[in-house]
Amino acid sequence: MMNGKDHFKNEVSFKKTHDLKVIKILVAFLFFAFKLNAQGTNNNFDYDKEDFNKIFKELGITTFKFPIKQSANQLLNIVIEEYEDKKLLNTISVIDEAKSLFGPFGIDAIPYFKPRADSIYFHRFYFVEKDNTVRVNIKSHGIEMPKEFSLSGKSKFSFDAFNNFVSEGNVKYLDIDKSEILVYLYANSLDEKDKPLWCPSGLSKEQLLERFYYFIFVSIEPYNEK
């Protein structure tokens, strides 16, 4: 039986075999990418963003990062919602889950989510597809947390992300004062495997739930300490 300490380690660390393999591949690739150019007879052009995106896609990794403006006393929470056939299956509050994991060890989780100063911070999400599952790795300030979801019973899937950023000169960011969906995975069912994944941009959450079979919504919202 897994004790509380082991459960804590398994939830918060990223030491699983698949993750290590991916990291090793990426480190090796990045090392050689900086040392070498694209390989081929008389074809030695530098690697670029399109090349890297292709490599990540082949590894089953999709990445998203969002610059968010926060004051030192503003606490933001990541919330994940899983829907299937318009039914809410699961809601995960990252702060509340961290509190429940850290609490038994006498650790206050809240400081890990607080900004050090007024600034713009990146909140990052890595979707890793493997063996009919998708693992969402969350990196938000001092917290890294993985959550895994089953893709069983789903066919093809895709992503859409928030892109209505505030711009100040060359700086783009989000200013959060209410719940905002940052990114979501959407999928058809196996029964609709031949149905196209129509572009969902501009649809409300309610309209999305009517159009597609499965969702993982990742949102950010202000969090009030209790």
Side-chain angles (χ1 to χ4, degrees), residues 65-223:
K65 53 194 289 188
F66 299 90
I68 297 178
K69 190 174 184 179
Q70 285 183 255
S71 65
N73 60 1
Q74 185 182 26
L75 194 58
L76 295 177
N77 189 24
I78 306 298
V79 176
I80 301 176
E81 295 176 306
E82 181 185 22
Y83 282 87
E84 186 170 322
D85 197 17
K86 295 180 279 191
K87 297 181 179 66
L88 179 63
L89 301 182
N90 198 12
T91 300
I92 299 165
S93 162
V94 170
I95 289 183
D96 289 338
E97 185 153 319
K99 287 170 69 175
S100 68
L101 289 170
F102 287 29
F105 302 96
I107 302 172
D108 182 9
I110 292 298
Y112 291 92
F113 294 90
K114 286 187 174 179
R116 297 182 299 275
D118 296 359
S119 190
I120 295 173
Y121 297 91
F122 276 111
H123 296 256
R124 307 165 193 263
F125 307 93
Y126 306 89
F127 290 77
V128 184
E129 180 193 0
K130 180 177 181 287
D131 297 336
N132 218 25
T133 65
V134 63
R135 183 179 177 91
V136 185
N137 292 338
I138 302 160
K139 175 71 172 67
S140 179
H141 292 299
I143 284 289
E144 297 183 23
M145 184 177 290
K147 304 306 299 182
E148 192 166 282
F149 301 88
S150 173
L151 294 176
S152 178
K154 294 87 179 175
S155 57
K156 51 193 170 184
F157 66 87
S158 189
F159 299 92
D160 197 28
F162 189 99
N163 60 9
N164 189 22
F165 295 97
V166 176
S167 294
E168 289 185 4
N170 294 324
V171 179
K172 292 184 177 181
Y173 63 88
L174 296 176
D175 202 350
I176 301 298
D177 58 6
K178 59 183 178 62
S179 181
E180 293 280 5
I181 296 173
L182 295 179
V183 59
Y184 57 88
L185 177 152
Y186 61 103
N188 289 332
S189 67
L190 283 179
D191 293 336
E192 299 176 312
K193 61 183 179 181
D194 296 324
K195 179 182 176 181
L197 282 174
W198 305 108
C199 178
S201 296
L203 297 180
S204 67
K205 186 176 180 180
E206 292 72 22
Q207 290 171 324
L208 288 169
L209 291 171
E210 291 291 335
R211 177 166 292 191
F212 301 105
Y213 178 75
Y214 180 77
F215 290 92
I216 299 172
F217 290 103
V218 180
S219 302
I220 192 164
E221 60 186 35
Y223 184 85

Side-chain angles (χ1 to χ4, degrees), residues 46-63:
D46 291 340
Y47 287 102
D48 58 22
K49 182 178 178 180
E50 186 171 342
D51 298 320
F52 284 110
N53 286 340
K54 177 63 175 175
I55 294 295
F56 273 77
K57 185 175 181 180
E58 291 296 322
L59 291 171
I61 302 172
T62 307
T63 65

